[in-house]
Amino acid sequence: MASKFSTWGNDLYTGKKSYDIVGKRKSYFTVAIICVVLSLAVLGIKKVNLGIEFHGGSQFTVTNAHSTDQQLAIDTVTAVLPDEQPRVSNVGTNALRIQTNALDEEQVIAVRDALMKTYEVTEDDVASANVGPSWGKDVSGKALQGLVVFIILVMIVMALYFRAWRMAAAAIIALFHDLILTIGVYALIGWEVTPATVIGLLTILGYSIYDTVVVFDKVKENTHEITEQHLFTYAERANLAVNQTLVRSINTSVVALLPVGSILFIGTFILGAGTLRDIALSLFVGMAVGAYSSIFLATPLEVALRMGEPVIAQHTQEVLEQRAARKAGGADQESDAKDPSVVSVGAIGEQPSATGMIVKGGHQGNRAQPKRKKK
Amino acid sequence: MATTNTKPKARGARPIIGLFAIILVLFGSLAAGNKWSDASWTPNLALDLEGGTQIILQAVTANNEPVTSEDINQAIEIIRQRVDSSGVAETEITSQGGKNIVVAIPGKPSQETLNLVRESAQMQFRPVLFFGNPQPVPAEQTTDQPETTPGPDGEITGDNADEANTDEAPATEESPATEDSAEAPATEETPAPEEPAAPEEPAAKPTNNSDLAWITPEIMDEFKALDCTAPENLKGGGGVADPAKPLVTCEADGSTKYILGPMDFAGSEIKRASSGLEQTQSGATLNSWAVNLEFTKDGTRAFREVTTRLSELPNYETWISTPNPTLAPNMFAMALDNLVIAAPQVSIIISDGKAEITGSYTNESANMLANQLNFGALPLTFEVQSEETISATLGSEQLQKGLLAGLIGLGLVVVYSLVQYRVLGLVTVASLMVAALLTYGAITVLSWLQGYRLSLPGVAGVILAVGITADSFIVYFERIRDELRDGRNLEGAVAVGWDRAKRTIIASDTVNFIAAVVLYFLAVGGVRGFAFTLGLTTLIDLVIVFFFTHPVMTLLAKTKFFAEGHKLSGFDPKGLGIAPTRYVGRGRVAAAGQPASNAPNGKRLTIAERKAAQEAEEAAKAEELASVGLDNENPIDAKDGDR
């Protein structure tokens, strides 16, 4: 299987097999927009289920409980405080977490004592927490602040590294796509949003960009001095880059997702509600979406942005024109075009010929030799 | 290609040796720390794993003024003082995000301790009515001659000479500036009562804040019973003392105890305080340190009134040599968190709101006092944002399961890379193991030296690092494969591939590191632990790739097994769609992907035949290029495009 995979990788690398990802960018954009709209719709309908860190409240954790029956906990709490509608979830193998609205100290003690009795545990096994409503606001405020600072820094770093702000812009747009989708999936699943979730979301920032950087690095390499040759358009070279890094992207994503997936698995099925599970879900979704978007969204987007650049647009047009000419004229015209004509810049009619230019990096054999003039 | 050139081999091995030296130093220092210091072989755990109580307080100012980091540090200092003297070990108090204070108390703290943490602190300016030795006074033996007490903390002088006597120019500590008040000598003639005069006439209404009539018998009893040598009396707290009542308290360092009059004004009247070298009236700088105070408008007025009143009172020497003083000394106390931080004398009236506290201050102590005064300028109240007790059993279960998840993840990554990269996968495994070793060492050393604590999000960060670290190897390996496909031999592919992969790895790790740093400095709560481990492991990833993986690859590229592309080496040419470069005799080397002889039947071709074959190949290539529209010759690698 592996050798087949690497043969496939080889074909992708040499261009023997190639997926036209950049060429079909419109459809990928459509997919991305639909996904984002769907995510926003889910958010609008379902609302994210905010944890008590965001609206304040009290939380009890009963460990070493002899039974993990959730109804028992609900009954216990309502027996003490009839107005409460506690939310109960299982944590770990033998623990329960009970969340209520904000309680005062007396109520906390009353509930704690009741829980102790119900679950036959000592005082040490019942932990309580009071969370003020501003805590979550603080966390999300900070997260937002972090997001802005991060984006500015990353824009600078990427623009410097790639010497192209469009790459940075494409990466950031892809990043937002990843974030929105992840939140959408989170809302769809309906797990509580806790500070741990926010941590996961913030990590996606780094990861999404990280993944995009790997792909863009190849794009940059393949399109290096693109205007020096007239065989391929920018889009084609970029598409080749995506194809060439496809194996790499798949491998890196799988390897990154494996550990996160194992946290998610253990977190969901053994630990239950808690930090690890919350981090893992947002990370898992974010990373998967991030890997997808770096291939199918970021690069096509970058190409689309690049097309707006006059130099690239003109180059593309030239390449296409010459290619059409080659096809139409066949070999004859090709040899005609070998005339090293001096090109007057700006005259659109007199495009520099494809082969008259020195094809950067390609060995031309005897084509590089001076030619006897025909005529 | 496996030449036995010793030089590059040594170059390849050196970084690995260096890396292992680092690891040895790391664990060596840990071992040393274990033996001679308080290091341990395992990192300290944060509360969410160890169990305990965590309180997150938000500092709030009364008028929404911005809180500076000094204020927060001062507030932390105050809370630390309170908690430490209440005997709770290992309490960790840190600031977070510039506005929050996180108090993490392991175990189950008492309600009293929790209350101490939550209380706000305020600074009050109160006149000193009476002071004495820190020890409690036995009920009978009231020989209250406060002569053995240490001197007052300093002296307040005005900045401007307008009202000050010019004779105190050198500003020595016990400057006899305004000793001319008539009352001072008078007290010496009344030796009879052993206690201050006040108790004789309890009904009398105190006329001002410095009036000894404030000292009721109860207050006096309290004063006598107070033991300022006991640490529990030096923790401060107890809420904000009633400003309208006298206060019995200790000097923060336990050297003196005081009865203070009602508050003259609050610390919020301080505009700013700073420390600096003392200056004489003529502007010459002395070699002693002083604290400069500036008051607000209201504070200036209040301070003028206070200094007017106090400057009339007997100075320190006169007061302590008076057996039964009927007047308070000319000192006023700055009480922060109900502990006296300084009680300087006032001998002149200061009307411009600018004062200088002089005395035997060092740079450090002057600075500390200035900081404390500045905190007083911005009284903080603490709003509890969250208070959480975490049971130890739950934490340890989460840790166990989390580590289990990490191990499973690691195992999966190992399996995947072995499948994908065969023996080369072992390089990944080895690198991951070295990375794990380094991470563990770094975290443990940091936890020992810097008080770092591993939290659950931190564990998640470490597990995530497995993926990120393995990522770098994949980027690198794929690069090598790419170069092999371009027809290089392995050694060349490793060298060139590294050149490119290096840049990609640095760029992507930079992005990750930025994310970690931003998270660390801007985030609150558990985010920090996560960001820290993320940043740390990103750095370690770089170290490993540069000092382990790449050197190992360079060395391996020289081995027969890899260079010849053994089936299991991960560089199997068949898998990569190429044949290795090899010597085919008669001074000819077959390039990658080309048969040994150019003819299918194995015979040597004539020149004409070769030429024809080459032309045919070229034509086919041109056609392919035109139809696919893609180049298989990388512009950069074209130098050896020998097809």
Side-chain angles (χ1 to χ4, degrees):
Chain A
M1 170 240 142
S3 79
K4 253 188 213 159
F5 189 74
S6 62
T7 310
W8 180 63
N10 183 52
D11 291 348
L12 286 175
Y13 182 76
T14 55
K16 198 165 159 192
K17 191 181 235 167
S18 191
Y19 300 97
D20 189 14
I21 293 165
V22 171
K24 291 180 185 147
R25 56 179 175 270
K26 291 229 168 84
S27 40
Y28 289 113
F29 292 160
T30 317
V31 170
I33 290 170
I34 291 174
C35 285
V36 168
V37 169
L38 275 180
S39 298
L40 292 177
V42 168
L43 283 174
I45 297 162
K46 272 199 82 168
K47 293 265 159 60
V48 277
N49 181 4
L50 291 176
I52 66 165
E53 288 86 356
F54 292 90
H55 49 71
S58 299
Q59 174 177 305
F60 300 86
T61 316
V62 183
T63 34
N64 298 327
H66 75 281
S67 134
T68 52
D69 184 8
Q70 299 192 354
Q71 192 55 43
L72 206 57
I74 296 173
D75 294 344
T76 311
V77 175
T78 43
V80 182
L81 306 161
D83 295 337
E84 280 295 333
Q85 284 176 319
R87 292 193 286 176
V88 183
S89 44
N90 287 69
V91 186
T93 41
N94 59 357
L96 288 135
R97 193 181 70 185
I98 300 119
Q99 295 181 334
T100 63
N101 290 325
L103 304 177
D104 62 35
E105 215 159 284
E106 268 173 46
Q107 288 171 315
V108 167
I109 292 170
V111 171
R112 191 185 64 198
D113 290 346
L115 287 171
M116 269 161 55
K117 230 177 258 162
T118 313
Y119 287 101
E120 295 167 21
V121 290
T122 61
E123 195 180 330
D124 287 342
D125 291 328
V126 181
S128 64
N130 271 311
V131 184
S134 60
W135 165 227
K137 239 183 258 161
D138 216 45
V139 170
S140 28
K142 287 280 178 190
L144 221 61
Q145 207 179 336
L147 183 73
V148 172
V149 173
F150 175 79
I151 285 174
I152 293 171
L153 283 177
V154 160
M155 285 283 274
I156 294 171
V157 167
M158 286 186 83
L160 283 180
Y161 180 73
F162 290 120
R163 311 263 160 79
W165 64 267
R166 286 178 173 84
M167 280 196 169
I172 301 292
I173 295 173
L175 169 66
F176 275 107
H177 165 263
D178 300 348
L179 279 181
I180 293 172
L181 248 62
T182 308
I183 298 171
V185 170
Y186 216 94
L188 196 66
I189 292 181
W191 284 1
E192 229 170 50
V193 172
T194 60
T197 317
V198 178
I199 295 176
L201 283 176
L202 288 173
T203 314
I204 296 172
L205 300 181
Y207 195 81
S208 165
I209 299 278
Y210 175 100
D211 219 33
T212 311
V213 164
V214 174
V215 180
F216 278 10
D217 206 45
K218 189 73 186 173
V219 173
K220 181 195 174 194
E221 184 188 311
N222 279 3
T223 60
H224 180 68
E225 297 186 355
I226 181 89
T227 50
E228 302 289 308
Q229 55 84 45
H230 280 80
L231 279 176
F232 307 108
T233 62
Y234 186 89
E236 285 161 355
R237 296 297 300 185
N239 193 58
L240 177 66
V242 175
N243 278 284
Q244 286 179 335
T245 45
L246 206 54
V247 170
R248 204 152 59 170
S249 297
I250 292 171
N251 279 349
T252 51
S253 305
V254 169
V255 161
L257 284 175
L258 285 175
V260 176
S262 77
I263 312 180
L264 182 62
F265 184 83
I266 288 207
T268 312
F269 295 107
I270 301 178
L271 286 175
T275 310
L276 286 181
R277 191 188 79 165
D278 293 343
I279 290 185
L281 179 63
S282 46
L283 274 182
F284 193 87
V285 178
M287 282 181 160
V289 176
Y292 166 85
S293 78
S294 63
I295 298 168
F296 294 97
L297 184 60
T299 315
L301 202 59
E302 199 265 338
V303 171
L305 286 174
R306 263 298 165 86
M307 287 305 186
E309 213 173 314
V311 181
I312 300 295
Q314 195 194 350
H315 175 258
T316 304
Q317 199 192 349
E318 283 166 16
V319 171
L320 294 179
E321 269 173 17
Q322 282 173 20
R323 192 177 292 162
R326 268 203 303 279
K327 245 192 190 146
D332 229 347
Q333 210 170 357
E334 199 178 351
S335 54
D336 275 347
K338 277 170 194 165
D339 285 337
S341 51
V342 179
V343 181
S344 57
V345 183
I348 302 169
E350 289 176 78
Q351 293 298 335
S353 59
T355 41
M357 298 280 292
I358 289 168
V359 177
K360 180 80 176 170
H363 194 282
Q364 301 184 73
N366 60 2
R367 274 175 294 153
Q369 298 296 320
K371 280 271 156 35
R372 202 186 313 148
K373 288 248 161 128
K374 289 182 179 178
K375 276 184 202 173
Chain B
M1 278 294 137
T3 48
T4 43
N5 192 347
T6 46
K7 249 192 175 172
K9 212 167 221 171
R11 211 185 298 137
R14 205 172 296 148
I16 308 179
I17 296 167
L19 181 65
F20 278 100
I22 293 174
I23 294 179
L24 266 182
V25 168
L26 214 57
F27 282 91
S29 61
L30 259 186
N34 245 329
K35 197 155 182 206
W36 294 293
S37 183
D38 57 345
S40 85
W41 285 111
T42 49
N44 289 329
L45 299 178
L47 277 198
D48 58 348
L49 294 175
E50 200 185 26
T53 298
Q54 174 172 293
I55 304 171
I56 296 172
L57 301 163
Q58 189 181 24
V60 184
T61 53
N63 39 7
N64 276 331
E65 268 185 68
V67 184
T68 65
S69 61
E70 275 107 53
D71 294 324
I72 292 287
N73 288 341
Q74 191 59 50
I76 289 176
E77 219 31 68
I78 291 170
I79 297 175
R80 196 188 306 282
Q81 190 174 32
R82 291 172 181 172
V83 176
D84 281 357
S85 28
S86 66
V88 182
E90 273 207 64
T91 300
E92 194 188 336
I93 307 166
T94 47
S95 77
Q96 217 165 52
K99 220 172 145 194
N100 287 343
I101 298 170
V102 179
V103 186
I105 312 168
K108 271 186 95 68
S110 66
Q111 198 60 41
E112 193 195 340
T113 310
L114 293 181
N115 287 340
L116 266 181
V117 170
R118 295 191 206 108
E119 275 167 9
S120 31
Q122 199 193 27
M123 172 173 270
Q124 299 181 331
F125 283 77
R126 289 166 178 267
V128 173
L129 298 181
F130 203 79
F131 61 91
N133 287 332
Q135 296 83 11
V137 183
E140 282 313 296
Q141 182 205 349
T142 49
T143 59
D144 242 52
Q145 199 53 321
E147 62 193 86
T148 45
T149 56
D153 292 280
E155 181 165 5
I156 284 263
T157 48
D159 260 6
N160 285 356
D162 52 0
E163 318 190 20
N165 310 5
T166 39
D167 64 337
E168 61 151 16
T172 50
E173 196 192 328
E174 310 297 334
S175 148
T178 45
E179 220 179 312
D180 49 318
S181 53
E183 289 106 310
T187 50
E188 272 170 44
E189 291 158 24
T190 53
E194 289 182 311
E195 290 170 13
E200 292 167 6
E201 41 205 323
K205 270 244 162 133
T207 51
N208 62 37
N209 286 346
S210 290
D211 196 333
L212 290 194
W214 287 106
I215 306 178
T216 61
E218 295 89 59
I219 296 272
M220 202 60 212
D221 289 344
E222 197 188 327
F223 177 74
K224 282 176 184 160
L226 181 65
D227 180 6
C228 287
T229 54
E232 69 264 23
N233 288 325
L234 296 176
K235 64 187 175 197
V240 175
D242 188 345
K245 284 188 181 144
L247 177 68
V248 178
T249 188
C250 299
E251 176 109 15
D253 61 4
S255 60
T256 316
K257 57 179 175 179
Y258 294 92
I259 302 176
L260 306 177
M263 183 175 85
D264 280 318
F265 55 94
S268 52
E269 302 300 343
I270 299 175
K271 204 165 166 189
R272 71 177 68 88
S274 61
S275 66
L277 285 171
E278 202 180 314
Q279 298 211 325
T280 60
Q281 302 293 339
S282 51
T285 308
L286 298 177
N287 203 16
S288 53
W289 287 85
V291 178
N292 295 302
L293 259 178
E294 205 179 314
F295 291 97
T296 60
K297 223 170 123 198
D298 288 349
T300 303
R301 193 162 13 87
F303 196 58
R304 183 172 57 230
E305 279 162 27
V306 173
T307 49
T308 312
R309 194 177 74 224
L310 289 180
S311 57
E312 306 278 300
L313 296 172
N315 73 359
Y316 178 75
E317 284 81 13
T318 321
W319 192 83
I320 56 169
S321 57
T322 311
N324 279 298
T326 53
L327 283 169
N330 68 343
M331 292 152 67
F332 77 91
M334 300 157 190
L336 179 60
D337 197 30
N338 298 336
L339 288 176
V340 175
I341 55 167
Q345 299 191 72
V346 178
S347 42
I348 51 165
I349 299 165
I350 297 170
S351 58
D352 65 349
K354 284 182 184 164
E356 189 181 44
I357 307 172
T358 57
S360 48
Y361 287 111
T362 60
N363 183 0
E364 221 166 67
S365 61
N367 209 356
M368 193 176 93
L369 182 58
N371 277 342
Q372 287 172 323
L373 290 169
N374 270 327
F375 176 80
L378 203 69
L380 298 181
T381 46
F382 302 122
E383 232 167 56
V384 178
Q385 282 208 322
S386 87
E387 184 179 330
E388 203 176 347
T389 56
I390 302 126
S391 95
T393 40
L394 198 60
S396 65
E397 195 191 351
Q398 298 257 339
L399 180 62
Q400 273 173 14
K401 297 284 154 45
L403 289 179
L404 179 67
L407 282 178
I408 294 174
L410 195 65
L412 289 173
V413 167
V414 167
V415 169
Y416 186 81
S417 45
L418 285 181
V419 168
Q420 274 291 332
Y421 297 105
R422 306 297 161 91
V423 177
L424 196 57
L426 289 180
V427 178
T428 311
V429 176
S431 305
L432 279 176
M433 268 159 40
V434 178
L437 205 64
L438 203 57
T439 310
Y440 187 84
I443 285 182
T444 315
V445 166
L446 281 173
S447 127
W448 164 42
L449 294 176
Q450 297 286 317
Y452 172 77
R453 281 167 180 268
L454 191 63
S455 64
L456 206 50
V459 172
V462 171
I463 296 171
L464 181 68
V466 174
I468 286 175
T469 310
D471 260 11
S472 312
F473 309 146
I474 291 170
V475 169
Y476 182 29
F477 292 163
E478 287 297 331
R479 257 295 166 188
I480 297 176
R481 284 181 163 190
D482 287 357
E483 298 304 330
L484 285 173
R485 284 169 184 145
D486 281 342
R488 287 181 205 282
N489 65 29
L490 186 60
E491 241 177 304
V494 166
V496 178
W498 170 243
D499 239 24
R500 283 300 309 177
K502 190 166 63 180
R503 277 185 258 173
T504 310
I505 292 170
I506 292 177
S508 45
D509 272 352
T510 306
V511 168
N512 246 342
F513 194 69
I514 292 176
V517 170
V518 169
L519 284 187
Y520 186 80
F521 283 107
L522 283 174
V524 283
V527 183
R528 267 202 142 180
F530 180 80
F532 187 86
T533 43
L534 194 65
L536 182 71
T537 49
T538 307
L539 285 184
I540 286 176
D541 172 39
L542 277 181
V543 170
I544 295 292
V545 173
F546 270 76
F547 295 103
F548 186 79
T549 314
H550 174 56
V552 164
M553 276 314 299
T554 315
L555 291 179
L556 286 181
K558 294 188 174 83
T559 64
K560 224 174 158 191
F561 180 79
F562 283 98
E564 288 186 353
H566 189 276
K567 246 195 169 131
L568 294 175
S569 68
F571 295 129
D572 175 21
K574 256 189 217 151
L576 296 175
I578 46 162
T581 308
R582 57 198 188 278
Y583 185 65
V584 291
R586 295 202 186 178
R588 290 177 306 132
V589 174
Q594 278 184 352
S597 72
N598 294 337
N601 56 11
K603 271 188 196 164
R604 284 197 69 182
L605 302 168
T606 64
I607 293 174
E609 277 172 328
R610 212 155 54 216
K611 217 173 173 182
Q614 203 177 340
E615 264 166 26
E617 196 195 331
E618 236 167 56
K621 194 176 147 197
E623 200 173 299
E624 188 198 332
L625 285 182
S627 61
V628 179
L630 293 168
D631 192 6
N632 63 353
E633 261 177 352
N634 215 312
I636 279 178
D637 306 315
K639 277 163 273 161
D640 54 350
D642 46 6
R643 270 156 279 184

